[in-house]
Amino acid sequence: METKEKSRKPPNKTPQSEGDQEDQPCPDTSCEKNEDQEPSSPKQGEFSDPVYKEIALANGAINRMNREELRAKCTELKLDTRGVNDVLRKRLKSYYKKQKLMHSPAAEGNSDMYFDYICVVDFEATCEENNPPDYLHEIIEFPMVLIDTHTLEIVDSFQEYVKPVLHPQLSEFCVKLTGITQEMVDEAKTFHQVLKRAISWLQEKELGTKYKYMFLTDGSWDMGKFLHTQCKLSRIRYPQFARKWINIRKSYGNFYKVPRTQTKLICMLENLGMEYDGRPHCGLDDSRNIARIAIHMLKDGCQLRVNECLHSGEPRSVPISAPIEGAPAPQPPKKRD
């Protein structure tokens, strides 16, 4: 995945016209530049409950276990034994914490699940082997993978290719990297048409109306760069439902306490004891593998929260103090004036 990031990385600034609705500051003032952290379950005054002393003792014992002991304990508790030591420790700590809090007054009002569904998105875009500083990436694959957070399963997916307009002829590098051929994009619909079909798919799932949901991406670029740039090129207002998202790299790093260098897709899979399934840089396959990581994290006790938003046309961090809310119901795309 590192090759993809270096080769496709868009310019730092995208040309913006004054007065564009999507470039105005996010109405939620909780979108800030500060790095988010893993949320702590209790408030400061709630640590007096004896259950937290029991949790601390259990954590201390887990920290002293070697790999064989960690795997043996996971086997005993019928937990997944795959993953590096840090992953196994976090898995056991989350299990014991959940068990201890299950019947404790300290857990009242807390919910394990913030959303009914998580929608994973991983766009593929036009690129050159050495992108010039002013290169504008156009989305050429629009994939979505839907996770049911209650069953912890992938329940559906959406995929359509997109016809590029600014760079109608794909570079040889782009074709080799993504596996998307010239014929595929020549026969595809425009981005405006594909976005309408994607929104119809989301509406059919009753997301944002009957069910609470949120988008999840592998990094900031999909929403903060690719979608933002594409909407400008297509003269479409940036969709409100995509203004906030879960950046799984941040969530993974904060939850398992690992540096950002270990949060690339392949690295996350390997640390969790999994292998990449499919063709790297295929948007749908990437989305499915990102979804597998998200499911694994949910099983390990991670509460995936919104941690990024679009603010004045740039991706910003959302602090953990921000209120928890799902994405709004998707509406048909609106043309810019």
Side-chain angles (χ1 to χ4, degrees):
M1 301 309 295
E2 188 173 359
T3 304
K4 173 180 176 181
E5 291 165 358
K6 288 183 178 178
S7 62
R8 295 196 329 179
K9 187 173 182 180
N12 292 330
K13 294 291 182 181
T14 301
Q16 301 177 11
S17 57
E18 295 183 3
D20 290 340
Q21 177 181 338
E22 66 268 27
D23 290 339
Q24 297 304 310
C26 178
D28 187 347
T29 56
S30 61
C31 296
E32 300 173 359
K33 287 185 176 180
N34 60 295
E35 290 296 317
D36 57 325
Q37 299 175 356
E38 180 190 356
S40 56
S41 297
K43 295 179 181 179
Q44 192 66 29
E46 296 172 350
F47 279 110
S48 57
D49 192 293
V51 70
Y52 292 110
K53 182 176 182 180
E54 296 176 17
I55 292 171
L57 290 173
N59 288 346
I62 292 169
N63 286 337
R64 292 188 293 272
M65 291 181 182
N66 58 34
R67 181 167 181 78
E68 290 71 24
E69 292 170 332
L70 290 168
R71 296 191 66 187
K73 182 57 68 173
C74 286
T75 300
E76 177 187 333
L77 299 174
K78 294 182 171 55
L79 301 176
D80 195 335
T81 59
R82 294 175 296 173
V84 297
N85 290 352
D86 287 341
V87 168
L88 296 175
R89 288 193 179 95
K90 188 65 179 181
R91 185 171 300 148
L92 285 170
K93 289 177 181 179
S94 296
Y95 173 85
Y96 278 114
K97 181 178 180 180
K98 185 175 183 179
Q99 293 299 310
K100 294 291 185 183
L101 290 175
M102 191 175 295
H103 304 294
S104 170
E108 290 183 4
N110 290 337
S111 174
D112 285 334
M113 211 58 62
Y114 299 134
F115 311 110
D116 297 303
Y117 291 94
I118 290 176
C119 189
V120 180
V121 176
D122 191 79
F123 298 119
E124 293 301 322
T126 56
C127 57
E128 304 285 346
E129 187 166 8
N130 295 296
N131 295 317
D134 59 346
Y135 187 90
L136 297 178
H137 299 260
E138 295 177 88
I139 292 174
I140 54 175
E141 183 184 357
F142 195 134
M144 293 186 288
V145 169
L146 196 62
I147 300 171
D148 185 325
T149 62
H150 302 287
T151 64
L152 298 180
E153 294 178 339
I154 294 174
V155 292
D156 208 347
S157 62
F158 171 94
Q159 180 198 42
E160 288 220 13
Y161 296 108
V162 183
K163 181 193 295 290
V165 177
L166 193 61
H167 305 287
Q169 187 69 34
L170 301 182
S171 68
E172 290 184 12
F173 176 80
C174 184
V175 172
K176 184 177 180 181
L177 179 71
T178 66
I180 300 173
T181 66
Q182 188 63 46
E183 184 179 10
M184 288 177 181
V185 295
D186 286 343
E187 296 177 353
K189 305 291 185 182
T190 64
F191 177 76
H192 184 257
Q193 293 170 308
V194 171
L195 180 59
K196 288 176 64 176
R197 292 165 69 96
I199 288 172
S200 295
W201 184 83
L202 293 168
Q203 291 173 334
E204 290 171 3
K205 308 298 179 187
E206 299 183 275
L207 302 181
T209 51
K210 183 177 181 180
Y211 301 107
K212 195 172 181 178
Y213 79 110
M214 184 50 64
F215 285 96
L216 181 148
T217 64
D218 179 29
S220 305
W221 295 344
D222 291 277
M223 301 303 195
K225 293 295 182 183
F226 295 142
L227 183 58
H228 184 252
T229 298
Q230 184 64 61
C231 285
K232 284 189 169 294
L233 292 174
S234 299
R235 304 294 299 173
I236 299 172
R237 294 192 181 280
Y238 190 91
Q240 290 293 321
F241 63 85
R243 278 190 170 275
K244 298 180 182 180
W245 60 90
I246 302 166
N247 179 343
I248 197 170
R249 295 192 181 200
K250 288 186 177 181
S251 300
Y252 181 95
N254 291 330
F255 183 67
Y256 293 115
K257 307 300 182 187
V258 299
R260 293 292 164 85
T261 55
Q262 295 183 30
T263 60
K264 292 181 173 61
L265 179 53
I266 295 297
C267 192
M268 288 190 288
L269 286 168
E270 290 177 349
N271 285 345
L272 291 171
M274 298 187 288
E275 295 182 355
Y276 188 95
D277 184 14
R279 186 194 189 283
H281 307 295
C282 163
L284 184 59
D285 286 347
D286 281 354
S287 298
R288 285 174 174 154
N289 282 280
I290 295 165
R292 292 170 63 208
I293 294 170
I295 290 171
H296 214 105
M297 292 174 66
L298 290 170
K299 288 180 178 179
D300 281 353
C302 179
Q303 296 177 324
L304 291 169
R305 298 172 59 107
V306 170
N307 52 23
E308 287 188 339
C309 73
L310 192 71
H311 185 90
S312 299
E314 293 290 331
R316 298 282 183 88
S317 290
V318 174
I320 61 172
S321 57
I324 300 168
E325 56 185 1
Q331 300 297 324
K334 296 180 180 179
K335 282 284 188 177
R336 287 168 51 194
D337 298 331

